[in-house]
């Protein structure tokens, strides 16, 4: 059977090991072909090909439920659930999504782009099943990295207290950091310990002891301890932890041995209560470059398959905001030992890998644990350090209570750098950084800012570290504007002071962060139509520079706000509220992301769809104030 013929995963049932291994090769070939052409996640999916095929041998996906943690490890799942022919549209506008998506396929039982959610979701499905008196399997597949997330541990704690709830958790361990070497002995012990004859004998032996006349149906504490001790002898050290939490532990097993995994999963399905199967895999399996550098090949832009190298850019680009942040933070840390950089498993993405290499003692990676990162930083600030926490905008959503309760209320000097703020492109709705403006506006004591370019980012970083309270700096994904950078000696900004870039009498444009450059371009297009716009670089969302904005709005009488964020509760809303508080009742046009989910596409395509390109914004401004501009033109005509 060829992979392209698979439209339903149940077609895998009954295939020989040789047939499944042939399909595994085809999955890797298709996976590499598509990702090398259009980019996407590479290593995670390559590592779970055999795991997927073996697991689906034991499931009926017309009835059973499977939840893949994060979803970027589920490319093989997509390829065997009817998306082979469309797979070359991966992460492209209107194409196959990079993560699981319930609206895309009936086999995508739960969508997720953030880690550590799978066990909670699968447990919820299992509890719903039991409540309805139904009978189907519920499986969560989670990586060892995602297991560091608090949600995963909370779910394990809950599931372990439900001994009659059937739930299978597959731990995809591709790091070997928490497991002993895979060996025949541990596989044999697990197979023996959980085989029906051994289960029958141990169960009957216990029942026989209970029915001894002098015991009255209860096991003495001494015999109970012996029983528990014997049980632990058959479980590796890592498994003892899960067993203590209430799970039956099986593993570790070879995640690239299909027959062994099929036997193990079938055994797990027959075991009562929650079960954890520990599977050891190799991230990037089958592609030597991805196996050798598992960090770099976790996700890739388009690259040459033969050499493994990314295609060079057609022209030089300015450094990314992340790189400028990382380089600047290294300089600051060299001069001030109180400053510490903190990341939640995203060192490379946030630029903190530069700090890790230069000053490892001033660098901390907490794993996928954003809540912990924020509160730990608060504790550091209590003791006189100046922590800088770099987390993607979309991931900081997970630590909202910590922002308020642990940092904001106590007014602690913690700096947050929100990478990937705004429209991020191909990762889709789960990764768009469109909500941070709204969710940070109300947090007490916070100073919230966004630079117009990478040079202003450097000054904002120094400003925040010198400030006595919490600060947030939002930065967009990708390269900067090409502004000249300084190696050191940056001057702090005055908190709450914006910048008038150009003056005009017909229109006031107030732009925030990454929208400042488009605002200037829009003003240029309007100038060609005879409309003179004043453009303000707001710099600060909180506190807003009312001393600058309010008099300009009162004088000009027409205001446009621009933000790369959600309009509900956003930057434009802050400006409108401020004008209202000062009794400046003028028409305001807010340009930003409306109350919609931004699907996967390139950032340029998304901005075009949302009407946020300079030509579109110029047109929308002219339509909104058409009557006013015409009247102004008539008054300006010579008599």
């Amino acid at each position: 059977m060829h992979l392209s013929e698979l439209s339903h995963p149940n077609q895998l049932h009954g295939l020989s090991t040789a047939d499944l291994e042939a399909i595994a090769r085809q999955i890797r070939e298709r996976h590499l072909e598509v990702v090398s052409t259009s980019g996407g996640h590479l290593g995670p999916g390559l590592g779970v090909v055999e795991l997927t095929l073996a697991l689906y041998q034991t499931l009926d996906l017309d009835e059973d439920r499977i939840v893949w943690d994060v979803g970027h490890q589920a490319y093989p799942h997509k390829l065997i659930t009817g998306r082979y022919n469309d797979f070359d549209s991966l992460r492209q506008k209107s194409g196959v999504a990079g993560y699981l998506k319930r609206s895309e396929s009936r086999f995508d039982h739960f969508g997720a782009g953030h880690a550590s959610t799978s066990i909670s979701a699968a447990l919820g499905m299992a509890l719903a099943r039991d409540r309805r008196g139904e009978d189907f399997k519920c499986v969560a597949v989670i990586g060892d990295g995602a297991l560091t997330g608090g949600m995963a541990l909370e779910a394990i704690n809950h599931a372990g207290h439900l001994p009659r709830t059937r739930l299978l958790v597959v731990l995809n361990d591709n790091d070997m950091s928490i497991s002993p070497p895979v060996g025949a002995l541990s596989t044999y012990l697990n197979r023996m310990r959980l085989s029906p004859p051994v289960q029958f004998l141990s169960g009957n032996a216990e029942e026989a002891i209970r029915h001894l006349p002098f015991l009255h149906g209860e096991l003495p504490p001494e015999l109970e301890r012996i029983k528990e001790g014997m049980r632990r002898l058959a479980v590796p050290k890592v498994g003892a932890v899960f067993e203590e939490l209430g799970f039956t532990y099986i593993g570790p097993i070879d995640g690239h041995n299909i027959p062994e995994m099929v036997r193990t999963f079938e055994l797990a399905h027959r075991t009562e209560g929650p079960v954890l199967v520990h599977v050891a895999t190799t991230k990037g399996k089958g592609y030597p470059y991805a196996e050798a550098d598992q960090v770099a090949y976790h996700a890739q832009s388009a690259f040459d398959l033969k050499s493994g190298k990314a295609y060079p850019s057609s022209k030089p680009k300015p450094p990314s905001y992340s790189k400028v942040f990382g380089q600047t933070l290294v300089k600051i840390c060299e001069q001030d030992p109180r400053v510490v950089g903190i990341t939640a498993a995203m060192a490379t993405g946030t630029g903190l890998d530069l700090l890790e290499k230069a000053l490892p003692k001033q660098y901390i990676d907490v794993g996928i644990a954003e809540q912990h990162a924020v509160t730990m930083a608060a504790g550091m600030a209590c003791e006189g350090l100046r922590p800088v926490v770099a987390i993607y905008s979309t991931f900081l959503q997970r630590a909202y209570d910590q922002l308020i309760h642990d940092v904001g209320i106590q007014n602690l000097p913690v700096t947050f750098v929100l990478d990937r703020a705004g429209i991020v492109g191909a990762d889709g709705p789960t990764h768009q950084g469109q909500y941070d403006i709204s969710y940070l506006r109300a947090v007490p004591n916070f100073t919230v800012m966004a630079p117009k370019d990478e040079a202003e980012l450097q000054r904002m970083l120094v400003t925040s570290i010198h400030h006595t309270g919490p600060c947030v700096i939002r930065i967009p994904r990708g390269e900067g504007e090409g502004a000249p950078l300084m190696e050191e000696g940056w001057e702090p900004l005055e908190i709450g002071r914006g910048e008038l870039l150009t003056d005009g009498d017909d229109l006031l444009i107030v732009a925030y962060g990454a929208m400042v450059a488009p605002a200037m371009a829009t003003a240029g297009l309007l100038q060609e139509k005879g409309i003179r716009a004043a453009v303000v670089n707001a710099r600060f969302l909180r506190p807003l520079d009312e001393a600058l904005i309010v008099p300009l709005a009162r004088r000009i009488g027409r205001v446009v706000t621009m933000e790369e964020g959600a309009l509900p509760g956003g930057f434009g809303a802050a400006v409108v509220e401020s004008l209202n508080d000062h009794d400046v009742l003028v028409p305001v046009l807010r340009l930003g992301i409306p109350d919609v989910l931004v699907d996967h596409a390139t950032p340029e395509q998304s901005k075009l769809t949302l009407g946020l390109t300079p030509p579109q914004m110029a047109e929308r401004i002219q339509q909104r104030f058409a009557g006013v501009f015409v009247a102004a033109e008539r008054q300006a005509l010579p008599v």
Side-chain angles (χ1 to χ4, degrees), residues 326-472:
Q327 292 172 335
T328 307
L329 185 61
V330 168
K331 288 286 186 181
I332 291 172
C333 286
E334 288 173 347
Q335 299 166 7
D336 189 344
R338 299 177 306 156
V339 180
V340 178
I342 301 170
T343 182
M346 299 300 287
T348 303
T350 59
L352 279 186
D353 57 326
L354 301 176
L355 181 63
E356 179 187 16
K357 294 172 185 175
L359 298 166
K361 291 184 178 180
Q362 288 172 259
Y363 164 85
I364 299 174
D365 183 351
V366 301
I368 302 174
E370 291 84 3
Q371 292 172 299
H372 167 59
V374 173
T375 303
M376 183 188 73
M380 288 179 164
C382 286
E383 297 302 316
L385 296 186
R386 287 292 183 268
V388 177
V389 183
I391 296 178
Y392 289 7
S393 166
T394 182
F395 296 149
L396 191 62
Q397 294 164 187
R398 315 188 85 170
Y400 191 55
D401 180 60
Q402 287 69 32
L403 287 170
I404 298 172
H405 182 270
D406 300 330
V407 179
I409 291 176
Q410 302 185 94
N411 197 23
L412 294 171
V414 180
T415 294
F416 296 92
V417 177
L418 275 59
D419 206 320
R420 270 49 169 193
I423 297 169
V424 300
D427 284 332
T430 60
H431 281 60
Q432 307 291 0
Q434 67 188 77
Y435 304 113
D436 59 273
I437 296 174
S438 302
Y439 74 65
L440 286 167
R441 274 190 60 207
V443 183
N445 292 321
F446 267 75
T447 295
V448 185
M449 55 192 124
K452 72 176 186 293
D453 56 38
E454 58 271 45
E456 197 163 74
L457 164 61
Q458 293 182 306
R459 296 186 66 189
M460 286 186 174
L461 189 56
V462 170
T463 303
S464 66
I465 291 172
H466 287 177
H467 188 51
T468 56
C471 291
V472 174

Side-chain angles (χ1 to χ4, degrees), residues 84-263:
Y84 175 90
N85 292 325
D86 296 328
F87 200 60
D88 54 5
S89 68
L90 180 70
R91 292 161 48 91
Q92 298 176 34
K93 184 176 172 61
S94 303
V96 174
Y99 297 90
L100 296 192
K101 195 174 183 180
R102 282 170 55 85
S103 61
E104 184 175 283
S105 170
R106 66 189 179 99
F107 300 117
D108 291 4
H109 298 134
F110 196 80
H114 295 180
S116 311
T117 63
S118 60
I119 304 176
S120 297
L123 178 59
M125 293 173 181
L127 291 172
R129 170 201 65 201
D130 295 348
R131 180 178 288 265
R132 292 196 299 259
E134 297 175 338
D135 184 24
F136 55 82
K137 303 179 185 75
C138 293
V139 183
V141 184
I142 185 168
D144 56 301
L147 201 63
T148 65
M151 266 193 74
L153 301 177
E154 291 169 13
I156 287 173
N157 180 62
H158 183 197
H161 287 275
L162 302 172
R164 298 187 181 278
T165 300
R166 289 188 298 113
L167 172 71
L168 173 58
V169 175
V170 179
L171 172 56
N172 169 31
D173 178 7
N174 55 30
D175 192 23
M176 299 293 284
S177 60
I178 63 171
S179 66
V182 175
L185 179 60
S186 61
T187 302
Y188 171 77
L189 284 172
N190 281 308
R191 197 186 306 171
M192 288 298 294
R193 183 169 62 89
L194 293 167
S195 65
V198 172
Q199 293 281 54
F200 174 80
L201 288 172
S202 60
N204 275 269
E206 180 177 331
E207 283 301 305
I209 294 172
R210 286 183 187 277
H211 284 90
L212 290 173
F214 58 91
L215 291 180
H216 306 292
E218 294 182 0
L219 282 179
E222 294 80 8
L223 287 178
E224 187 68 46
R225 285 195 293 270
I226 291 172
K227 174 191 165 190
E228 289 299 305
M230 293 298 291
R231 181 173 62 83
R232 289 191 184 93
L233 286 175
V235 181
K237 288 183 180 180
V238 66
V241 175
F242 293 108
E243 294 261 350
E244 289 292 341
L245 290 170
F247 275 71
T248 297
Y249 172 89
I250 308 175
I253 62 171
D254 184 351
H256 303 292
N257 184 325
I258 292 176
E260 186 62 37
M261 281 190 290
V262 171
R263 287 192 295 268

